[in-house]
Structure formats: structure tokens, C-alpha cells
Amino acid sequence: DPFTARLLAIYRDLYGPDAGESGRWARDADRLGILRSDYMLHAEESGGTSLKQVELNTVASSFAGLAARVSEMHRHLLRRFPVATQAWLRAAGATSG
């Protein structure tokens, strides 16, 4: 889509091999991007289906305050759904403890 294409063009302008001095500050800076992509199932006219990206979201800095509660949520899920979560952890190759 045009929006994502523009984001990639900006990225190439700053970090690409031809960026020169204009992108030096960006290449030298430390950075961390936390992104979430949202998808929807699209019904094709042929009767098939495909996934379509509908959003690309960044995580706001205010989210940091919620990060401390993630482990609490995980403990709650483990207690609430022990069979399902243990099966998922085994399938994912997670270790116990």
C-alpha cells in the first residue's frame, strides 16, 4: 500500500547504501522498534482466502507502565487455563521452571 511504501522509502533514504551524510545521525543512533501487525482473513472472489495486513502499530511509550503487569497476566493465564497453557508451552518447546 502507499503508506507502507512511503515508510520503506524513508527507511532507504536514511539507512540505504546511497544515504550518504544525510542519514548518518540515524544510522549511528541506538533504536528499538516494537511493532504489531494486524491481519484479517480476506475472501477471494475465486472462493479462496488470504491474509491481508490491515494495520502496523507502534507501541506508545506509555505502554512501559503496563509491561510490569505482563508477568502477572501470564501467571493468571497459567492458573486459569492450566491444561491449554501447558500444552501450548510444550508445543512451543518452552522449558518449565
Side-chain angles (χ1 to χ4, degrees), residues 22-44:
S22 65
R24 182 181 175 139
W25 65 270
R27 288 189 302 275
D28 292 345
D30 292 332
R31 57 197 166 275
L32 170 65
I34 301 175
L35 306 172
R36 185 190 82 226
S37 293
D38 293 342
Y39 299 88
M40 291 187 77
L41 194 59
H42 176 73
E44 306 284 350

Side-chain angles (χ1 to χ4, degrees), residues 9-79:
I10 292 169
Y11 180 86
R12 281 191 299 274
D13 290 346
L14 292 175
Y15 302 109
D18 300 325
E21 282 299 307
S22 65
R24 182 181 175 139
W25 65 270
R27 288 189 302 275
D28 292 345
D30 292 332
R31 57 197 166 275
L32 170 65
I34 301 175
L35 306 172
R36 185 190 82 226
S37 293
D38 293 342
Y39 299 88
M40 291 187 77
L41 194 59
H42 176 73
E44 306 284 350
E45 289 183 20
S46 64
T49 58
S50 63
L51 286 177
K52 300 289 184 179
Q53 183 178 7
V54 294
E55 275 190 304
L56 177 64
N57 299 295
T58 59
V59 175
S61 60
S62 62
F63 188 75
L66 298 175
R69 307 229 27 216
V70 171
S71 62
E72 183 181 322
M73 179 190 67
H74 289 164
R75 280 191 298 277
H76 168 75
L77 291 173
L78 286 168
R79 283 191 307 270

